Amino acid sequence: MCCVASHRVERVKHTGGCHCGAVRFEVWNSPDLLVFDCDCSICTKKQNHHFIVPENQFNLLQGLEIINTYTFNTHIGKHTFCSTCGVQSFFTPRSNPDGYGIAPHCLDPGTVRSVTVEKFCGQKYEETMKNHPNIRDLSKPVAETHTVEVGSLHTP
């Protein structure tokens, strides 16, 4: 007789937005964030640190009409920012065009338990993507999750 173990991923609803408050979003992700520190040309200039979520785990609550988008090079990455305050609280990364890169420093306090930072060599993008074990998987929907509402980091 054998048993099949169920893998449950704890997720919380994080909320956040830009500096002026015109752009607001919610995102479901682990309270333990894996944040990428990329050294590509734009991430270096912006000091962009981000964690990646599937598109279906992100919901823009307000601000669609005030968001501007900057693209360059391959135009796959969509660098969105508030046209009033200039803050990029989320964007569509080149590495995961089917998801979003979320700036952890733009999240509201209270839902992040820990942050692990992983260096990502964007200066050698193709080589880094080829050798990275799972970055593309981070924007794929998770089959089974365990969710916890904002303000509570403990499972029921």
Side-chain angles (χ1 to χ4, degrees):
M1 176 185 262
C2 77
C3 298
V4 176
S6 171
H7 178 67
R8 298 180 70 98
V9 177
E10 180 183 6
R11 298 209 178 270
V12 297
K13 181 171 71 173
H14 302 283
T15 58
C18 67
H19 183 259
C20 72
V23 175
R24 297 290 300 161
F25 64 85
E26 64 184 18
V27 61
W28 288 90
N29 198 51
S30 171
D32 303 303
L33 303 179
L34 171 60
V35 173
F36 290 97
D37 177 10
C38 179
D39 68 354
C40 77
S41 61
I42 194 163
C43 287
T44 297
K45 294 278 187 189
K46 294 188 305 180
Q47 292 295 292
N48 184 23
H49 295 83
H50 60 280
F51 62 96
I52 298 171
V53 299
E55 183 178 26
N56 69 353
Q57 299 297 303
F58 176 86
N59 183 30
L60 182 63
L61 300 172
Q62 69 182 42
L64 180 61
E65 70 287 346
I66 203 160
I67 293 174
N68 281 341
T69 303
Y70 173 73
T71 67
F72 69 103
N73 194 6
T74 65
H75 302 284
I76 293 172
K78 308 291 186 218
H79 300 273
T80 50
F81 59 95
C82 174
S83 62
T84 300
C85 67
V87 169
Q88 175 184 280
S89 52
F90 68 92
F91 71 109
T92 304
R94 177 180 172 195
S95 63
N96 297 75
D98 56 346
Y100 289 96
I102 310 297
H105 46 274
C106 290
L107 296 178
D108 299 332
T111 56
V112 175
R113 182 168 48 210
S114 69
V115 175
T116 301
V117 178
E118 179 179 319
K119 297 282 187 186
F120 181 87
C121 185
Q123 291 180 7
K124 297 179 182 178
Y125 178 82
E126 286 78 14
E127 181 182 332
T128 303
M129 287 300 295
K130 180 181 172 189
N131 295 323
H132 198 282
N134 69 337
I135 193 166
R136 293 245 190 242
D137 296 336
L138 296 174
S139 57
K140 303 297 182 228
V142 177
E144 185 178 338
T145 63
H146 181 75
T147 56
V148 180
E149 285 296 323
V150 172
S152 173
L153 293 178
H154 303 300
T155 54

